[in-house]
Amino acid sequence: MFQAYWYMTKLRVLTGLAYRFEVFASVGTNLILMVASVFLWKAAYSGGSGGSAGMTLHELVTYTIVSILLASLFVTDVQDTIYYKIREGKIVTDFYRPVPLLACYLAEDIGSMLSSLMNKVLPLFLVASLLFGMPLPSSWVGMLLFIPSCLLSYAILWLLSAIVGLVAFWVMELGNMGNVKDAIVRILSGSLVPLWLFPQAVQTISAYLPFQYTYQTPLGIYIGVTGTVEALRAMAIQGVWIAILYAILALFWRHTKSKTLIQGG
């Protein structure tokens, strides 16, 4: 079974390498966003040397660069895959696969991630290093904790996308639901702006939601704002959210399979 998953992952990697224009467009868009964000923070900090919410300008610049790199790396196309499979009637043939269907979609997204790592993340990292200096972690301990935290972050993001994708079994037309979910994640995850800069009420509410544990948690570990003990505690919370979301996904999956209704196929 592992060979089947590896084959789907490898196929998606090769597919990602074939679409060069999409790669150039994505790299260009993220590069513009990176440069604009970094210069925005530099302009905001030009009035003094102090930092906001205990963060220095260097930490904010590193946070911004690594956040954009993670956004390019974290591929969660499962919601769109499920939606288009149902809409085009191809979901029926997928059910005949000898391996679990959602695991197939996960393998494909991992393949897309590996492709993005080579095509998008590495070029962005090199350009960012030339323009603003290499965005190094605060310490080797932070780097060692950053990697597993990123894996947990991706698991949360993927499970959220899969849950939204399963809604298509019930409504058959997601509309802008996926875009709304992506916008909420971008804002409440600290991907665009660290939640430490938000009002205290927003920070309190976000602590009880899974979103901040997708971007801000690993990024805080990377730049050293989150200490070792706090990092381990945050990673434990990430694990709890993965368990909760997986339970919700398993429950939805069991009920939605019986509700499959193909439109136009």
Side-chain angles (χ1 to χ4, degrees), residues 96-109:
Y96 287 106
R97 290 182 177 181
V99 291
L101 185 56
L102 291 180
C104 294
Y105 296 155
L106 175 59
E108 291 176 352
D109 282 347

Side-chain angles (χ1 to χ4, degrees), residues 187-200:
I187 295 173
L188 295 183
S189 67
S191 173
L192 295 175
V193 179
L195 292 176
W196 302 305
L197 304 182
F198 280 65
Q200 186 60 44

Side-chain angles (χ1 to χ4, degrees), residues 71-220:
S72 299
L73 178 64
F74 288 164
V75 178
T76 55
D77 290 337
V78 59
Q79 66 185 30
D80 295 329
T81 299
I82 294 175
Y83 168 65
Y84 288 114
K85 292 279 189 178
I86 293 175
R87 186 170 184 177
E88 297 173 5
K90 297 179 180 179
I91 194 73
V92 174
T93 57
D94 285 354
F95 275 123
Y96 287 106
R97 290 182 177 181
V99 291
L101 185 56
L102 291 180
C104 294
Y105 296 155
L106 175 59
E108 291 176 352
D109 282 347
I110 291 176
S112 297
M113 279 208 334
L114 294 176
S115 176
S116 295
L117 177 62
M118 295 180 287
N119 287 335
K120 301 175 184 178
V121 177
L122 291 181
L124 283 171
F125 179 81
L126 293 175
V127 174
S129 299
L130 291 174
L131 293 177
F132 309 111
M134 189 173 294
L136 297 175
S138 61
S139 65
W140 284 109
V141 175
M143 185 63 189
L144 292 176
L145 293 174
F146 169 76
I147 295 174
S149 181
C150 283
L151 296 176
L152 296 173
S153 298
Y154 179 74
I156 294 175
L157 286 170
W158 195 89
L159 289 169
L160 285 170
S161 294
I163 291 172
V164 172
L166 291 187
V167 176
F169 279 91
W170 297 81
V171 300
M172 295 180 58
E173 182 61 53
L174 285 179
N176 293 321
M177 185 180 299
N179 293 331
V180 171
K181 188 271 297 180
D182 292 340
I184 293 175
V185 169
R186 293 285 284 177
I187 295 173
L188 295 183
S189 67
S191 173
L192 295 175
V193 179
L195 292 176
W196 302 305
L197 304 182
F198 280 65
Q200 186 60 44
V202 177
Q203 297 184 46
T204 302
I205 294 174
S206 66
Y208 295 95
L209 299 174
F211 306 114
Q212 80 169 40
Y213 301 101
T214 58
Y215 279 91
Q216 181 163 285
T217 293
L219 291 171

